[in-house]
Structures are given as C-alpha cells and as structure tokens.
C-alpha cells in the first residue's frame, strides 16, 4: 500500500520561502476529519469524551482544533496543566494522569478542578498530607499485571510497566477514597502501546468493565466513567492497515451491552486519551537534503536530525520517507538518511530504498504529528524547529517559531557574560 502525503512539492516550496527547513507541518483538514470520526464512533455513549494526550503534541493551535469537537486534555505535568488551563480546559475537561507526582502538581490539578487519576495507592496518603481536600470525583489507574494478549499474540507486558495498581490495591484504594468523601469514581488503564488492530479497545474494555462491576458491587463506590486511555495506533509502515475507529467503537459498545448494562451500570461514561491516533498521521517533518556521502554506504545528510524526531534513534522506529516531487519515481537507490548529531544512531532511515536523491531535494518524513516535535531536545546545541499548520483552505500558518540561540542561552541567569554574545 502506498503512503500518500497531504502536501505537494509546490506548496512546500511556497512554505519554505517563509519558513526554512526543517519544520513540522500539520494537516488541519485531516485532524478535523479524524476528530469528527472518533466522536461519531462513540456517539452511542452519552458521556463519551476524548482527552487528547497533550504529551503527544503540546501545540495550543492543534489542541484548540480538537477542543472544537469536545475533546478535553490529558495532562501529566505542571506545564501541561498550565497549557490546558490557558486553553479553557478546566474542571472535568482535564484529566491529570501522572506518576511519581510532586505535591505542587497535585495541588495545581486540584485548584483547577481537574480529574486526578492516582497511579499508585501510596499516592492517596501523600495527597492527603500535601493537599488535604479530596474532590468529589477521582480515578485510579489499574494494572492487572501479566501479559496482555489478543488472539494468542502478546501485545504488551503490563507486568513490567511502572504504572497502575494491582487488582487488590484497586479495591483498597476505592474503599480509602470513599472514606475520604469521594463520591464519583473512575477506572483507567493502558495495557498496550500503538496497537494496529481493531480488537485492542474491546479487549481492554472487557477487562475494565468486569473489574468495574466487581468494584462497584464490593466497595459500594459509584463508578461514573471508565477511561480506556490510549494505545490505538497508526500504520507507520506502508503495508499496515489503519485502524477502523467505527469498528473499534462498535466493538466497545457490544462489550458495554454485554457486561455493564446487565449489571445496572448503563450510565457509565466512556473516556479515551488518545494522542498518536489523533494527530500522528497528520504531521510530517520536512527537511532538505544538504549533503551526500559515498563511503562504505550511501548516505544522504539532512538539515534535520534526531532532535527534531528522535523516535528512529531512540526506538529504531520506522518512519516512511517521500522525496517531494518524486512520488512516482522508482525506488532503486539504497540510502542511510542521516542528521548531523555526533551520534551514530542519528538516522531517519537505514538501508532504505528511495528514488535517487539530489542535494536540495525536500524529504517528507511521515507520521510525526504525535511524539515528533514534542520529544525534541537540544543535544549538540541543536535548536528546535518551527511548526506550521496547513489550513483547510490551502493557506498555511506558522504556529510555533523555531528556537534561536538566544533561547538556548536564556536560562544562564548566573552567567550574564552570555548576554554579550548578542551585543
């Protein structure tokens, strides 16, 4: 299956006259259509809400688009909470799911009315000591342990994950919180990452729904929502089939009808916390080929590097590459496509078959709309790139400027000599 780009070479040439490469580019039309489809797929559930995982892409322009479709914010740190608050996502529009959480972050989440999702049972006494007041609605993160399998295929290993509480701890935590005055309870779990199968959410839902029935029956806690979190993935490789969100929504509905409704829990809201699925396919990293090298291998050197997209270097992750204007050319050249970091793993592709690349060609690195710019860093003194939104009407807007050297040196307050660099 061929991976299509959402931008033409001509449009890229127009953009780079204003915004030089490298930059991350996002497709507004695609993001909107995807958010609409998700909302429709779960419209059978009256209380459904998607809490966009801010860590996947913390750009307020993109989050604001998702807010238009009823999405809230899933936050895991103080600055993400601050961003959500600035966008008007206060109260139950924000879910705070963090771990090893500092007291001041619990306090900030409480003050803005966010739903706090406890990662561990020991966080309950910690929270009581540091914050004191328990809100009426709270959630607990569940980790059943062991391996998570679908059709005998191992999807992930929750038992090795640092997140969540055991089954016994969930029952104890609900009893503890009930004693603290909590009235409305939620359950949250994340058991597998980037699944490209329509079966994951229904299987996860069945696990959570069955636990929810037992929790409500044995503790007397009123469960008002069940959060399926993230894990619904995207097809990074051309030979992968994308998930069908309508089939996923219908699969969850069937389990809901089978497990929750007979137990008298047909009013439970379903929440999701997707990041990768919401924006991943609708972003790309645009970079220019600036060098070529012919040694033991054939190399193409780009003006982007792992600081702009670290997933290939960190995980060995595959990201498809299109050479703008050569979409239909024969892929008869094998290259390592590299950046300029002083690290040998700074490679966007290894032994990748591509059309012949010439210096000055624009390369489109696909599926960077989630965990792309967001995971950037400043190793080697490299600066983070700009972000650009390709709007529905075909125009474009710079939605984040590129970092400058002044930004890089800005935190050296104790060494004012650096100010002289810019005099």
């Amino acid at each position: 299956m061929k991976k299509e780009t959402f931008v033409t070479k001509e449009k890229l040439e127009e953009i780079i006259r204003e915004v030089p490469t490298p930059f991350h580019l996002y497709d507004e039309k695609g993001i909107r259509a995807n958010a609409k489809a998700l909302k429709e797929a779960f419209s059978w559930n009256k209380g459904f809400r998607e809490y966009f995982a801010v860590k996947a892409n913390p750009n307020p322009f993109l989050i604001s688009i998702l807010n238009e479709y009823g999405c809230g914010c899933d936050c895991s740190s103080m600055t993400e909470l601050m961003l959500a608050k600035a966008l008007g996502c206060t109260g139950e529009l924000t879910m705070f799911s963090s771990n090893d959480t500092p007291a001041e972050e619990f306090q900030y989440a409480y003050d803005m009315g966010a739903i706090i999702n406890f990662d561990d049972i020991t966080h309950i006494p910690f929270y009581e000591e540091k914050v004191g007041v328990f809100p009426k609605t709270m959630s607990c993160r569940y980790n059943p342990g062991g391996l998570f399998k679908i059709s005998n295929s191992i999807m992930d290993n929750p038992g090795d994950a640092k997140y969540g509480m055991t089954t016994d701890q969930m029952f104890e935590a609900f009893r503890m919180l009930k004693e603290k005055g909590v009235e409305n309870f939620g359950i949250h779990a994340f058991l597998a990452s980037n699944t490209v199968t329509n079966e994951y959410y229904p299987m996860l839902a069945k696990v959570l729904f069955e636990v929810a029935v037992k929790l409500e029956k044995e503790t007397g806690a009123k469960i008002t929502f069940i959060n399926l979190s993230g894990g619904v993935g995207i097809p990074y490789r051309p030979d992968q089939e994308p998930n069908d969100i309508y089939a996923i929504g219908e699969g969850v509905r069937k389990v809901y009808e089978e497990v929750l409704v007979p137990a008298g829990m047909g009013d439970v809201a379903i929440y999701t916390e997707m990041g990768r699925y919401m924006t991943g396919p609708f972003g790309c990293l645009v970079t220019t080929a600036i060098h070529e090298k012919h040694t033991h291998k054939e190399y193409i050197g780009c003006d982007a590097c792992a600081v702009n997209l670290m997933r290939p270097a960190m995980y060995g992750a595959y990201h498809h590459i299109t050479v703008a204007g050569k979409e239909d050319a024969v892929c008869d050249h094998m290259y390592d496509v590299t950046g300029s970091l002083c690290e040998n793993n700074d490679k966007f592709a290894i032994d990748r078959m591509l059309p012949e690349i010439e210096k000055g060609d624009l390369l489109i690195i696909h599926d960077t709309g989630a965990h792309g710019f967001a995971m950037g860093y400043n190793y080697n003194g490299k600066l983070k790139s700009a972000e650009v939104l390709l709007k529905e009407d075909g125009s474009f807007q710079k939605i984040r400027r590129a970092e400058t050297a002044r930004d890089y040196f800005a935190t050296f307050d104790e060494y004012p000599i650096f100010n002289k660099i810019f005099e």
Side-chain angles (χ1 to χ4, degrees), residues 75 77-89 108 112:
C75 300
S77 69
M78 176 77 85
T79 48
E80 289 183 358
L81 287 169
M82 294 170 71
L83 175 57
K85 184 179 179 181
L87 293 173
C89 288
Y108 194 93
M112 65 183 282

Side-chain angles (χ1 to χ4, degrees), residues 271-401:
Y271 295 162
T272 58
E273 287 177 354
M274 291 188 270
R276 192 190 315 265
Y277 180 81
M278 298 304 292
T279 57
F282 313 109
C284 61
L285 175 60
V286 182
T287 181
T288 302
I290 57 173
H291 288 287
E292 57 184 42
K293 184 174 183 177
H294 316 284
T295 54
H296 304 290
K297 303 181 76 172
E298 293 295 304
Y299 295 95
I300 293 296
C302 303
D303 60 1
C305 60
V307 304
N308 307 113
L309 177 64
M310 73 182 300
R311 293 188 73 253
M314 187 174 186
Y315 305 121
Y318 179 95
H319 280 264
H320 199 66
I321 297 176
T322 295
V323 184
K326 298 181 180 180
E327 290 84 355
D328 297 321
V330 178
C331 295
D332 55 359
H333 284 63
M334 182 183 287
Y335 297 111
D336 280 15
V337 181
T338 71
S340 59
L341 288 188
C342 299
E343 293 290 340
N344 196 45
N345 67 351
D346 182 21
K347 297 179 179 181
F348 296 116
I350 298 173
D351 295 336
R352 185 76 59 87
M353 297 304 296
L354 293 164
E356 182 177 11
I357 298 174
E358 301 169 274
K359 286 187 286 186
D361 278 348
L362 294 172
L363 306 186
I364 301 168
I365 303 178
H366 292 243
D367 301 317
T368 70
H371 311 292
F373 180 94
M375 295 178 74
Y377 56 109
N378 290 116
Y379 182 58
N380 273 185
K382 296 292 186 179
L383 305 175
K384 295 179 184 178
S385 71
E387 294 180 287
V388 180
L389 180 64
L390 182 61
K391 305 185 83 171
E392 284 188 295
D393 61 6
S395 64
F396 66 91
Q397 177 185 4
K398 183 164 63 174
I399 57 175
R400 189 194 299 264
R401 66 165 174 82

Side-chain angles (χ1 to χ4, degrees), residues 130-173:
K130 302 298 183 180
V131 180
V133 184
F134 286 80
K136 297 299 183 184
T137 300
M138 301 202 85
S139 177
C140 291
R141 186 167 183 168
Y142 178 49
N143 184 336
L147 299 175
F148 186 74
K149 298 181 179 181
I150 296 178
S151 302
N152 294 321
S153 296
I154 296 174
M155 302 301 294
D156 220 322
N157 185 357
D160 276 350
K162 69 174 182 174
Y163 310 107
M165 306 183 199
T166 67
T167 303
D168 289 343
Q169 287 174 341
M170 288 290 289
F171 283 84
E172 185 180 353

Side-chain angles (χ1 to χ4, degrees), residues 406-419:
R406 189 178 290 276
D407 296 320
Y408 182 79
F409 292 113
T411 54
F412 287 112
D413 294 339
E414 301 303 316
Y415 293 88
I417 190 172
F418 281 103
N419 294 329

